Coordinates of all heavy atoms in Angstrom, one line a residue:
M14 N -5.6 -4.4 3.9 CA -5.8 -3.0 3.3 C -6.3 -2.1 4.4 O -5.7 -1.0 4.5 CB -6.8 -3.1 2.2 CG -6.2 -3.3 0.8 SD -5.4 -1.9 0.2 CE -6.5 -0.5 0.6
A15 N -7.4 -2.5 5.0 CA -8.0 -1.5 5.9 C -7.5 -1.7 7.3 O -7.8 -0.8 8.2 CB -9.5 -1.8 6.1
S16 N -6.5 -2.5 7.5 CA -5.9 -2.6 8.9 C -5.2 -1.4 9.4 O -4.4 -0.9 8.6 CB -4.9 -3.8 8.8 OG -4.0 -3.7 10.0
R17 N -5.4 -1.0 10.6 CA -4.7 0.1 11.1 C -3.5 -0.3 11.9 O -2.8 0.6 12.5 CB -5.7 0.9 12.0 CG -7.0 1.3 11.3 CD -6.8 2.6 10.4 NE -8.1 2.8 9.7 CZ -8.5 4.0 9.2 NH1 -7.8 5.0 9.2 NH2 -9.6 4.0 8.5
Q18 N -3.3 -1.5 12.0 CA -2.1 -2.1 12.6 C -1.0 -2.5 11.7 O 0.1 -2.4 12.0 CB -2.5 -3.3 13.6 CG -3.0 -2.9 14.9 CD -4.5 -2.5 14.9 OE1 -5.3 -3.3 14.2 NE2 -5.0 -1.5 15.5
V19 N -1.4 -3.0 10.6 CA -0.4 -3.7 9.7 C -0.1 -2.9 8.5 O 1.0 -2.2 8.4 CB -0.8 -5.1 9.3 CG1 0.3 -5.8 8.5 CG2 -1.2 -6.0 10.5
G20 N -1.1 -2.7 7.6 CA -0.7 -2.1 6.3 C -0.8 -0.6 6.4 O 0.0 0.1 5.7
L21 N -1.7 0.0 7.1 CA -1.9 1.3 7.3 C -2.1 2.2 6.0 O -1.9 3.3 6.0 CB -0.7 1.9 8.1 CG -0.6 1.8 9.5 CD1 0.7 2.1 10.1 CD2 -1.7 2.5 10.3
C22 N -2.6 1.4 4.9 CA -2.8 2.1 3.7 C -3.7 3.4 3.8 O -3.4 4.4 3.3 CB -3.5 1.2 2.7 SG -2.7 -0.5 2.6
L23 N -4.7 3.3 4.7 CA -5.7 4.4 4.8 C -5.2 5.5 5.7 O -5.9 6.6 5.8 CB -7.1 3.8 5.4 CG -7.7 2.8 4.5 CD1 -9.0 2.3 5.0 CD2 -7.8 3.2 3.0
L24 N -4.0 5.3 6.3 CA -3.4 6.5 6.8 C -3.1 7.6 5.8 O -3.3 8.9 6.1 CB -2.1 6.1 7.6 CG -1.3 7.1 8.3 CD1 -2.0 7.5 9.6 CD2 0.2 6.5 8.7
C25 N -2.7 7.2 4.6 CA -2.3 8.1 3.6 C -3.4 8.1 2.4 O -3.6 9.2 1.8 CB -0.9 7.7 3.0 SG 0.4 7.8 4.2
H26 N -3.9 6.9 2.1 CA -4.8 6.8 1.0 C -6.3 6.8 1.4 O -6.6 6.5 2.5 CB -4.6 5.5 0.3 CG -3.3 5.3 -0.5 ND1 -3.1 5.8 -1.7 CD2 -2.1 4.8 0.0 CE1 -1.8 5.5 -2.1 NE2 -1.2 4.9 -1.1
S27 N -7.1 7.2 0.5 CA -8.5 6.9 0.6 C -8.9 5.9 -0.4 O -8.2 5.5 -1.3 CB -9.4 8.2 0.3 OG -9.0 8.7 -0.9
G28 N -10.1 5.4 -0.3 CA -10.5 4.4 -1.1 C -12.1 4.1 -1.1 O -12.7 4.8 -0.3
P29 N -12.6 3.2 -1.9 CA -14.1 3.0 -1.9 C -14.5 2.1 -0.7 O -15.0 1.0 -0.8 CB -14.3 2.3 -3.2 CG -13.0 1.6 -3.5 CD -11.9 2.4 -2.8
F30 N -14.2 2.7 0.5 CA -14.7 2.0 1.7 C -15.5 2.9 2.6 O -15.0 3.5 3.5 CB -13.4 1.5 2.5 CG -12.2 1.1 1.6 CD1 -11.0 1.8 1.6 CD2 -12.4 0.0 0.8 CE1 -10.1 1.3 0.7 CE2 -11.3 -0.5 0.0 CZ -10.2 0.2 -0.1
P31 N -16.8 2.9 2.2 CA -17.6 3.9 3.0 C -17.6 3.6 4.5 O -17.9 4.5 5.3 CB -19.0 3.7 2.4 CG -18.9 2.6 1.5 CD -17.5 2.3 1.2
E32 N -17.4 2.3 4.9 CA -17.5 2.0 6.4 C -16.2 2.4 7.1 O -16.3 2.4 8.4 CB -17.7 0.5 6.5 CG -16.5 -0.4 6.0 CD -16.3 -0.6 4.5 OE1 -17.0 0.1 3.8 OE2 -15.4 -1.4 4.1
E33 N -15.2 2.8 6.4 CA -14.0 3.2 7.1 C -14.0 4.7 7.5 O -13.9 5.5 6.4 CB -12.7 2.8 6.3 CG -12.5 1.3 6.2 CD -12.2 0.7 7.5 OE1 -11.5 1.3 8.4 OE2 -12.4 -0.6 7.6
R34 N -13.8 5.0 8.7 CA -13.7 6.5 9.0 C -12.2 6.9 8.8 O -11.3 6.1 9.0 CB -14.3 6.7 10.5 CG -15.6 6.4 10.6 CD -16.1 6.5 12.0 NE -16.1 7.9 12.3 CZ -16.1 8.4 13.6 NH1 -16.0 7.5 14.6 NH2 -16.1 9.6 13.9
F35 N -12.1 8.3 8.7 CA -10.8 8.8 8.8 C -9.8 8.3 7.8 O -8.7 7.6 8.1 CB -10.2 8.8 10.2 CG -11.0 9.2 11.3 CD1 -11.4 8.5 12.4 CD2 -11.5 10.6 11.3 CE1 -12.2 9.0 13.4 CE2 -12.3 11.1 12.2 CZ -12.7 10.3 13.3
Q36 N -10.1 8.5 6.5 CA -9.1 8.1 5.5 C -8.1 9.2 5.1 O -8.4 10.3 5.3 CB -10.0 7.5 4.2 CG -11.0 6.5 4.7 CD -11.6 5.8 3.4 OE1 -11.2 5.9 2.4 NE2 -12.8 5.1 3.7
G37 N -7.0 8.8 4.6 CA -5.9 9.7 4.4 C -6.2 10.5 3.2 O -6.9 10.2 2.3
N38 N -5.5 11.7 3.1 CA -5.5 12.6 2.0 C -4.0 13.0 1.6 O -3.9 14.1 1.0 CB -6.4 13.8 2.2 CG -6.0 14.6 3.3 OD1 -5.0 14.3 3.9 ND2 -6.7 15.7 3.6
L39 N -3.1 12.1 1.8 CA -1.7 12.4 1.5 C -1.3 11.7 0.2 O -0.2 11.9 -0.3 CB -0.8 11.9 2.6 CG -1.0 12.6 4.0 CD1 -0.1 11.8 5.0 CD2 -0.5 14.1 3.9
A40 N -2.2 10.8 -0.4 CA -1.8 10.0 -1.4 C -3.0 9.8 -2.3 O -4.1 10.1 -2.0 CB -1.4 8.7 -0.9
P41 N -2.8 9.3 -3.6 CA -4.0 9.1 -4.5 C -5.0 8.3 -4.0 O -4.8 7.4 -3.2 CB -3.3 8.6 -5.7 CG -1.9 8.8 -5.6 CD -1.5 8.9 -4.2
D42 N -6.2 8.5 -4.3 CA -7.4 7.6 -4.0 C -7.1 6.3 -4.6 O -6.9 6.3 -5.9 CB -8.7 8.3 -4.4 CG -9.8 7.4 -3.9 OD1 -10.2 6.4 -4.5 OD2 -10.5 7.9 -2.9
L43 N -7.2 5.2 -3.9 CA -6.9 3.9 -4.5 C -7.8 3.5 -5.6 O -7.4 2.7 -6.5 CB -6.7 2.9 -3.4 CG -5.6 3.1 -2.4 CD1 -5.6 2.1 -1.3 CD2 -4.3 2.9 -3.2
S44 N -9.0 3.9 -5.6 CA -10.0 3.5 -6.6 C -9.5 4.1 -8.0 O -9.7 3.6 -9.1 CB -11.4 3.9 -6.3 OG -11.5 5.2 -6.1
V45 N -8.9 5.3 -7.9 CA -8.3 5.9 -9.1 C -7.0 5.2 -9.5 O -6.9 4.8 -10.8 CB -7.9 7.5 -8.8 CG1 -7.3 8.0 -10.1 CG2 -9.2 8.2 -8.5
S46 N -6.2 4.9 -8.6 CA -4.9 4.2 -8.9 C -5.1 2.9 -9.5 O -4.5 2.5 -10.5 CB -4.1 3.9 -7.6 OG -3.9 5.2 -6.9
V47 N -6.1 2.0 -9.1 CA -6.3 0.7 -9.6 C -6.8 0.8 -11.0 O -6.5 -0.1 -11.8 CB -7.2 -0.2 -8.8 CG1 -6.5 -0.5 -7.5 CG2 -8.5 0.3 -8.6
A48 N -7.6 1.9 -11.4 CA -8.1 2.0 -12.7 C -7.1 2.2 -13.7 O -7.3 1.9 -15.0 CB -9.1 3.2 -12.7
H49 N -5.9 2.7 -13.4 CA -4.9 2.9 -14.4 C -3.7 2.1 -14.2 O -2.6 2.4 -14.6 CB -4.5 4.4 -14.6 CG -3.9 5.1 -13.3 ND1 -2.6 4.8 -12.9 CD2 -4.4 5.9 -12.5 CE1 -2.3 5.5 -11.9 NE2 -3.4 6.2 -11.5
S50 N -3.7 1.0 -13.4 CA -2.6 0.2 -13.1 C -2.9 -1.3 -13.4 O -4.0 -1.8 -13.2 CB -2.2 0.3 -11.6 OG -2.0 1.6 -11.2
T51 N -1.8 -1.9 -13.8 CA -1.9 -3.4 -14.0 C -1.6 -4.1 -12.7 O -0.9 -3.5 -11.8 CB -0.9 -3.9 -15.0 OG1 0.4 -3.7 -14.5 CG2 -1.0 -3.3 -16.4
P52 N -1.9 -5.4 -12.4 CA -1.4 -6.1 -11.3 C 0.0 -6.0 -11.0 O 0.4 -5.8 -9.9 CB -2.0 -7.4 -11.4 CG -3.1 -7.4 -12.4 CD -2.8 -6.2 -13.3
A53 N 0.8 -6.1 -12.0 CA 2.3 -6.1 -11.9 C 2.7 -4.7 -11.4 O 3.6 -4.6 -10.6 CB 2.9 -6.5 -13.2
Q54 N 2.0 -3.6 -11.9 CA 2.5 -2.3 -11.4 C 2.1 -2.1 -10.0 O 2.8 -1.5 -9.3 CB 1.7 -1.2 -12.3 CG 2.4 -1.1 -13.7 CD 1.5 -0.3 -14.7 OE1 0.2 -0.2 -14.6 NE2 2.2 0.4 -15.6
L55 N 0.8 -2.6 -9.5 CA 0.3 -2.4 -8.2 C 1.4 -3.3 -7.2 O 1.8 -2.6 -6.2 CB -1.0 -3.0 -8.0 CG -2.1 -2.2 -8.7 CD1 -3.4 -3.0 -8.7 CD2 -2.3 -0.9 -8.1
R56 N 1.8 -4.4 -7.8 CA 2.8 -5.3 -7.0 C 4.0 -4.6 -6.8 O 4.6 -4.4 -5.7 CB 2.9 -6.6 -7.5 CG 3.7 -7.6 -6.8 CD 3.9 -8.9 -7.5 NE 2.7 -9.6 -7.6 CZ 2.0 -9.8 -8.8 NH1 2.5 -9.2 -9.9 NH2 0.9 -10.4 -8.7
A57 N 4.6 -4.0 -7.9 CA 5.8 -3.3 -7.9 C 5.8 -2.1 -6.9 O 6.8 -1.9 -6.2 CB 6.2 -2.9 -9.2
R58 N 4.8 -1.4 -7.0 CA 4.6 -0.2 -6.1 C 4.6 -0.5 -4.5 O 5.2 0.0 -3.8 CB 3.2 0.4 -6.4 CG 2.9 1.7 -5.6 CD 3.7 2.9 -6.1 NE 3.4 3.4 -7.3 CZ 3.7 4.6 -7.8 NH1 4.4 5.4 -7.0 NH2 3.4 4.9 -9.0
L59 N 3.8 -1.7 -4.2 CA 3.9 -2.2 -2.9 C 5.2 -2.6 -2.4 O 5.6 -2.4 -1.3 CB 2.9 -3.3 -2.7 CG 1.4 -3.0 -2.7 CD1 0.5 -4.2 -2.8 CD2 1.2 -2.3 -1.3
V60 N 5.9 -3.4 -3.3 CA 7.1 -4.0 -2.9 C 8.2 -3.0 -2.6 O 8.9 -3.1 -1.6 CB 7.6 -5.0 -4.0 CG1 9.1 -5.3 -3.9 CG2 6.8 -6.2 -4.1
D61 N 8.3 -2.0 -3.5 CA 9.3 -1.0 -3.3 C 8.9 0.4 -3.9 O 9.3 0.7 -5.0 CB 10.6 -1.4 -3.8 CG 11.8 -0.5 -3.5 OD1 11.5 0.5 -2.8 OD2 12.9 -0.9 -3.9
S62 N 8.2 1.2 -3.1 CA 7.6 2.4 -3.8 C 8.7 3.4 -4.1 O 8.6 4.3 -5.0 CB 6.8 3.1 -2.7 OG 7.4 3.2 -1.5
N63 N 9.9 3.2 -3.5 CA 11.1 4.2 -3.8 C 11.6 4.0 -5.3 O 12.3 4.9 -5.7 CB 12.2 4.0 -2.7 CG 11.7 4.5 -1.3 OD1 11.7 3.6 -0.5 ND2 11.2 5.6 -1.2
R64 N 11.2 2.9 -5.8 CA 11.7 2.7 -7.2 C 11.0 3.7 -8.1 O 11.5 4.0 -9.2 CB 11.6 1.3 -7.7 CG 12.5 0.4 -7.0 CD 12.5 -1.0 -7.5 NE 12.7 -1.1 -9.0 CZ 12.8 -2.2 -9.6 NH1 12.7 -3.4 -9.0 NH2 13.0 -2.2 -11.0
F65 N 9.8 4.1 -7.7 CA 9.0 5.0 -8.5 C 9.3 6.5 -8.1 O 9.3 7.4 -8.9 CB 7.6 4.7 -8.4 CG 7.2 3.3 -8.9 CD1 7.3 2.2 -8.0 CD2 6.8 3.1 -10.2 CE1 7.1 0.9 -8.4 CE2 6.7 1.8 -10.6 CZ 6.7 0.7 -9.7
N66 N 9.4 6.7 -6.8 CA 9.7 8.1 -6.3 C 10.6 7.9 -5.1 O 10.3 7.4 -4.0 CB 8.3 8.6 -5.8 CG 8.6 10.0 -5.1 OD1 9.6 10.4 -5.0 ND2 7.6 10.5 -4.4
P67 N 12.0 8.2 -5.4 CA 13.0 8.1 -4.4 C 12.7 8.7 -3.0 O 13.0 8.3 -2.0 CB 14.2 8.6 -5.0 CG 14.0 8.6 -6.4 CD 12.5 8.8 -6.6
A68 N 11.7 9.8 -3.1 CA 11.5 10.5 -1.9 C 10.1 10.1 -1.3 O 9.5 10.9 -0.5 CB 11.6 12.1 -2.2
S69 N 9.6 9.0 -1.8 CA 8.2 8.7 -1.3 C 8.2 8.5 0.1 O 9.0 8.0 0.7 CB 7.7 7.3 -2.1 OG 6.5 7.1 -1.7
I70 N 6.9 8.9 0.6 CA 6.7 8.6 2.1 C 6.0 7.3 2.3 O 5.8 6.8 3.3 CB 5.7 9.8 2.7 CG1 4.4 9.8 2.0 CG2 6.5 11.0 2.8 CD1 3.4 10.7 2.7
M71 N 5.7 6.7 1.1 CA 5.0 5.3 1.2 C 6.1 4.3 1.6 O 7.1 4.2 0.9 CB 4.3 5.0 0.0 CG 3.6 3.6 0.0 SD 2.5 3.4 -1.3 CE 2.5 1.7 -1.5
P72 N 5.8 3.4 2.7 CA 6.7 2.3 3.0 C 7.0 1.4 1.8 O 6.1 1.1 1.1 CB 6.1 1.7 4.2 CG 4.9 2.6 4.6 CD 4.5 3.4 3.5
A73 N 8.2 0.8 1.8 CA 8.5 -0.2 0.9 C 8.1 -1.6 1.6 O 8.7 -1.9 2.7 CB 9.9 -0.3 0.5
Y74 N 6.9 -2.1 1.2 CA 6.4 -3.2 2.1 C 7.1 -4.5 2.0 O 6.9 -5.4 2.7 CB 4.9 -3.4 1.7 CG 4.0 -2.3 2.2 CD1 3.7 -1.2 1.5 CD2 3.6 -2.4 3.6 CE1 2.9 -0.2 2.2 CE2 2.8 -1.5 4.2 CZ 2.5 -0.3 3.5 OH 1.8 0.6 4.0
Y75 N 7.9 -4.6 0.9 CA 8.7 -5.9 0.8 C 10.2 -5.7 0.4 O 10.6 -6.2 -0.7 CB 7.9 -6.8 -0.3 CG 8.2 -8.3 -0.2 CD1 7.7 -9.0 0.9 CD2 9.1 -8.9 -1.1 CE1 8.0 -10.3 1.0 CE2 9.4 -10.3 -1.0 CZ 8.9 -11.0 0.1 OH 9.1 -12.3 0.3
R76 N 10.7 -5.0 1.3 CA 12.2 -4.7 1.0 C 12.9 -4.8 2.4 O 12.4 -4.3 3.3 CB 12.3 -3.2 0.4 CG 13.7 -2.9 0.0 CD 13.8 -1.8 -1.1 NE 13.2 -0.6 -0.6 CZ 13.8 0.5 0.0 NH1 15.0 0.4 0.3 NH2 13.1 1.5 0.3
T77 N 14.1 -5.2 2.4 CA 14.8 -5.3 3.6 C 16.2 -4.5 3.6 O 16.8 -4.4 4.6 CB 15.2 -6.7 4.0 OG1 15.9 -7.4 3.0 CG2 13.9 -7.6 4.3
S78 N 16.6 -4.1 2.3 CA 17.9 -3.4 2.3 C 17.7 -2.0 2.1 O 16.7 -1.5 1.5 CB 18.7 -4.1 1.2 OG 18.0 -3.8 0.0
G79 N 18.7 -1.3 2.4 CA 18.6 0.2 2.2 C 17.7 1.0 2.9 O 17.3 2.1 2.6
L80 N 17.3 0.5 4.1 CA 16.4 1.2 5.0 C 17.2 1.9 6.2 O 18.4 1.6 6.4 CB 15.5 0.1 5.7 CG 14.6 -0.7 4.7 CD1 13.9 -1.9 5.4 CD2 13.6 0.2 3.9
N81 N 16.5 2.9 6.6 CA 17.3 3.7 7.7 C 16.7 3.4 9.1 O 15.6 3.3 9.3 CB 17.1 5.2 7.5 CG 17.7 5.7 6.2 OD1 18.7 5.3 5.8 ND2 17.0 6.5 5.5
R82 N 17.7 3.3 10.1 CA 17.4 3.2 11.5 C 16.4 2.1 11.7 O 15.3 2.4 12.5 CB 17.0 4.5 12.0 CG 17.9 5.6 11.8 CD 17.5 6.9 12.4 NE 17.3 6.8 13.9 CZ 16.8 7.7 14.6 NH1 16.4 8.9 14.1 NH2 16.7 7.6 15.9
V83 N 16.6 0.9 11.4 CA 15.7 -0.2 11.7 C 16.1 -0.8 13.0 O 17.2 -1.2 13.2 CB 15.9 -1.3 10.5 CG1 14.9 -2.5 10.9 CG2 15.5 -0.8 9.1
A84 N 15.1 -1.0 13.9 CA 15.4 -1.6 15.2 C 15.8 -3.1 14.9 O 15.4 -3.7 14.0 CB 14.2 -1.7 16.0
S85 N 16.9 -3.5 15.8 CA 17.4 -4.8 15.6 C 16.4 -6.0 15.4 O 16.6 -6.9 14.7 CB 18.6 -5.1 16.5 OG 18.0 -5.0 17.9
K86 N 15.3 -5.8 16.2 CA 14.4 -7.0 16.1 C 13.6 -7.1 14.8 O 12.9 -8.1 14.5 CB 13.5 -7.0 17.3 CG 12.4 -5.9 17.4 CD 11.4 -6.2 18.6 CE 10.3 -5.2 18.5 NZ 9.2 -5.4 19.4
F87 N 13.6 -6.0 14.0 CA 13.0 -5.9 12.8 C 14.0 -6.1 11.6 O 13.5 -6.2 10.4 CB 12.2 -4.7 12.6 CG 11.1 -4.5 13.6 CD1 11.1 -3.5 14.5 CD2 10.1 -5.4 13.6 CE1 10.0 -3.3 15.4 CE2 9.0 -5.4 14.6 CZ 9.0 -4.3 15.5
A88 N 15.2 -6.2 11.8 CA 16.2 -6.4 10.8 C 15.9 -7.6 9.9 O 15.5 -8.6 10.4 CB 17.6 -6.5 11.3
D89 N 16.1 -7.4 8.6 CA 15.9 -8.5 7.6 C 14.4 -9.0 7.7 O 14.1 -10.1 7.1 CB 16.8 -9.7 7.9 CG 18.2 -9.2 7.8 OD1 18.6 -8.4 6.9 OD2 19.1 -9.7 8.5
Q90 N 13.5 -8.2 8.1 CA 12.0 -8.6 8.0 C 11.3 -7.6 7.1 O 11.6 -6.4 7.2 CB 11.4 -8.6 9.4 CG 11.9 -9.6 10.4 CD 11.0 -9.6 11.7 OE1 9.9 -9.4 11.6 NE2 11.8 -9.6 12.7
T91 N 10.4 -8.1 6.3 CA 9.6 -7.3 5.5 C 8.4 -6.8 6.2 O 8.1 -7.5 7.2 CB 9.2 -7.9 4.2 OG1 8.5 -9.1 4.4 CG2 10.4 -8.3 3.2
I92 N 7.7 -5.7 5.8 CA 6.5 -5.3 6.6 C 5.4 -6.3 6.3 O 4.7 -6.7 7.3 CB 6.1 -3.9 6.1 CG1 7.3 -2.9 6.4 CG2 4.8 -3.4 6.8 CD1 7.0 -1.4 5.8
L93 N 5.2 -6.6 5.0 CA 4.2 -7.6 4.6 C 4.9 -8.9 4.2 O 6.0 -8.8 3.7 CB 3.3 -7.1 3.6 CG 2.4 -5.8 4.0 CD1 1.5 -5.5 2.8 CD2 1.5 -6.2 5.2
S94 N 4.2 -10.0 4.4 CA 4.8 -11.2 3.8 C 4.5 -11.4 2.3 O 3.7 -10.5 1.8 CB 4.2 -12.4 4.5 OG 2.7 -12.6 4.1
G95 N 5.1 -12.2 1.5 CA 4.8 -12.3 0.1 C 3.4 -12.6 -0.1 O 2.7 -12.1 -1.0
Q96 N 2.8 -13.5 0.8 CA 1.4 -13.8 0.6 C 0.5 -12.6 0.8 O -0.4 -12.4 0.2 CB 1.1 -14.9 1.6 CG -0.4 -15.4 1.5 CD -0.7 -16.0 0.2 OE1 -0.1 -17.0 -0.2 NE2 -1.7 -15.4 -0.6
E97 N 0.9 -11.8 1.8 CA 0.1 -10.6 2.1 C 0.1 -9.6 0.9 O -0.8 -8.9 0.6 CB 0.5 -9.8 3.4 CG 0.2 -10.7 4.7 CD 0.7 -10.3 5.9 OE1 1.9 -9.7 5.9 OE2 0.1 -10.3 7.0
I98 N 1.3 -9.5 0.3 CA 1.4 -8.6 -0.9 C 0.5 -9.1 -1.9 O -0.3 -8.3 -2.5 CB 2.9 -8.7 -1.5 CG1 3.9 -8.1 -0.5 CG2 3.0 -8.0 -2.8 CD1 4.0 -6.5 -0.4
E99 N 0.4 -10.4 -2.1 CA -0.5 -11.0 -3.2 C -1.9 -10.8 -2.8 O -2.7 -10.5 -3.7 CB -0.1 -12.5 -3.4 CG 1.3 -12.7 -4.0 CD 1.6 -11.9 -5.2 OE1 0.6 -11.9 -6.1 OE2 2.7 -11.3 -5.3
D100 N -2.2 -10.9 -1.5 CA -3.6 -10.6 -1.1 C -3.9 -9.2 -1.4 O -5.1 -9.0 -1.8 CB -3.7 -10.9 0.4 CG -3.6 -12.5 0.7 OD1 -3.7 -13.2 -0.3 OD2 -3.4 -12.9 1.9
V101 N -3.1 -8.3 -1.1 CA -3.4 -6.8 -1.3 C -3.6 -6.5 -2.7 O -4.5 -5.9 -3.2 CB -2.4 -5.9 -0.6 CG1 -2.6 -4.4 -1.0 CG2 -2.3 -6.0 0.9
V102 N -2.7 -7.1 -3.6 CA -2.8 -6.9 -5.0 C -4.2 -7.4 -5.5 O -4.9 -6.8 -6.2 CB -1.7 -7.6 -5.8 CG1 -1.9 -7.6 -7.3 CG2 -0.4 -6.9 -5.5
A103 N -4.5 -8.7 -5.0 CA -5.8 -9.3 -5.5 C -7.1 -8.4 -5.1 O -7.9 -8.2 -5.9 CB -5.9 -10.6 -4.9
F104 N -6.9 -7.9 -3.8 CA -8.0 -7.1 -3.3 C -8.1 -5.8 -4.1 O -9.2 -5.4 -4.6 CB -7.8 -6.7 -1.9 CG -8.8 -5.7 -1.3 CD1 -10.1 -6.2 -1.1 CD2 -8.6 -4.4 -1.1 CE1 -11.1 -5.3 -0.6 CE2 -9.5 -3.6 -0.6 CZ -10.7 -4.0 -0.4
L105 N -6.9 -5.1 -4.5 CA -7.0 -3.9 -5.3 C -7.6 -4.2 -6.7 O -8.4 -3.4 -7.1 CB -5.5 -3.3 -5.4 CG -5.0 -2.7 -4.2 CD1 -3.5 -2.3 -4.3 CD2 -5.8 -1.4 -3.7
V106 N -7.1 -5.3 -7.2 CA -7.7 -5.6 -8.6 C -9.2 -5.8 -8.5 O -10.0 -5.4 -9.4 CB -6.9 -6.9 -9.1 CG1 -7.6 -7.4 -10.4 CG2 -5.5 -6.6 -9.5
S107 N -9.7 -6.4 -7.4 CA -11.1 -6.7 -7.3 C -11.8 -5.4 -7.2 O -13.1 -5.3 -7.6 CB -11.4 -7.6 -6.0 OG -11.4 -6.7 -4.8
L108 N -11.2 -4.3 -6.8 CA -11.9 -3.0 -6.7 C -12.2 -2.4 -8.1 O -13.2 -1.7 -8.3 CB -11.1 -1.9 -6.0 CG -10.7 -2.1 -4.6 CD1 -9.8 -1.0 -4.1 CD2 -11.9 -2.2 -3.7
Q109 N -11.5 -2.9 -9.0 CA -11.6 -2.4 -10.5 C -13.0 -2.8 -11.0 O -13.6 -2.0 -11.9 CB -10.5 -3.1 -11.4 CG -9.5 -2.1 -11.7 CD -8.2 -2.7 -12.3 OE1 -8.0 -3.9 -12.0 NE2 -7.6 -2.1 -13.2
A110 N -13.5 -3.9 -10.5 CA -14.9 -4.4 -11.0 C -16.0 -3.5 -10.5 O -17.0 -3.5 -11.2 CB -15.1 -5.8 -10.6
K111 N -15.7 -2.7 -9.5 CA -16.9 -1.8 -8.9 C -16.9 -0.5 -9.4 O -15.8 0.1 -9.6 CB -16.6 -1.8 -7.4 CG -16.8 -3.1 -6.7 CD -16.8 -3.0 -5.2 CE -16.5 -4.3 -4.5 NZ -15.9 -4.3 -3.3
P112 N -18.1 0.1 -9.6 CA -18.1 1.5 -10.1 C -17.7 2.4 -8.9 O -17.8 2.0 -7.8 CB -19.6 1.7 -10.4 CG -20.3 0.6 -9.6 CD -19.3 -0.5 -9.5
P113 N -17.2 3.6 -9.2 CA -16.6 4.5 -8.1 C -17.9 4.9 -7.2 O -19.0 5.0 -7.8 CB -16.1 5.7 -8.8 CG -16.2 5.4 -10.3 CD -16.9 4.2 -10.5
Q114 N -17.6 5.1 -5.9 CA -18.8 5.4 -5.0 C -18.6 6.8 -4.7 O -17.6 7.4 -4.6 CB -18.7 4.5 -3.8 CG -18.9 3.0 -4.2 CD -18.8 2.2 -3.0 OE1 -18.8 2.7 -1.9 NE2 -18.9 0.9 -3.2
Ligands
HEC3 C1 2.8 7.0 4.7 C2 1.8 7.1 3.6 C3 1.4 5.9 2.8 C4 1.1 4.7 3.1 C5 1.0 4.1 4.5 C6 0.8 4.0 2.0 N1 0.9 4.7 0.9 FE1 0.6 4.2 -1.1 N2 1.3 6.0 -1.8 C7 1.6 7.1 -0.9 C8 1.9 8.2 -1.7 C9 2.3 9.6 -1.2 C10 1.8 7.9 -3.0 C11 2.1 8.7 -4.3 C12 3.4 8.4 -5.0 C13 4.6 8.6 -4.1 O1 4.7 9.7 -3.7 O2 5.3 7.5 -3.9 C14 1.4 6.4 -3.1 C15 1.2 5.6 -4.2 C16 0.5 4.4 -4.1 C17 0.1 3.7 -5.3 C18 0.2 4.2 -6.8 C19 -0.8 5.3 -6.9 C20 -1.0 5.7 -8.3 O3 -2.2 6.3 -8.6 O4 -0.1 5.6 -9.2 C21 -0.6 2.6 -4.9 C22 -1.3 1.5 -5.8 C23 -0.4 2.6 -3.4 N3 0.2 3.7 -3.0 C24 -1.0 1.5 -2.7 C25 -0.8 1.6 -1.3 C26 -1.3 0.4 -0.4 C27 -2.0 -0.8 -1.0 C28 -0.9 0.7 0.8 C29 -1.0 -0.2 2.1 C30 -0.4 -1.5 2.0 C31 -0.3 2.0 0.8 N4 -0.2 2.5 -0.5 C32 0.2 2.6 2.0 C33 1.6 7.0 0.5 C34 1.4 6.0 1.2

């Protein structure tokens, strides 16, 4: 979630992570998002954000088709693995237990 090399969520989103500097303001705060989403909705959003908003700037983290200008060495690869998608969903769900900061 907080990785600046892999997921890059905080490039666009902010969240309840006081230790992280320079959080994004292009997308909803994740503590708000998790409060009104089920795990299945969070997973679907991560897998393919374009299903919710065709013009979304959020990457589809688990889709390999219908992408533009993919370098050949990345062809047929997802950004995150299935396990990483599940880890992010579990982490987001865990935020629900905490009061907003
Ligand atoms: C390039 C910017 C960008 C990145 C990177 C990004 N997002 Fe998003 N995300 C958005 C935008 C913008 C939206 C608002 C809906 C839309 O436009 O698609 C969104 C929507 C969401 C939503 C639904 C929000 C709601 O309140 O309904 C969730 C959950 C989410 N993102 C999680 C993540 C996670 C987790 C990551 C990292 C693995 C991530 N996003 C990475 C831009 C981004």
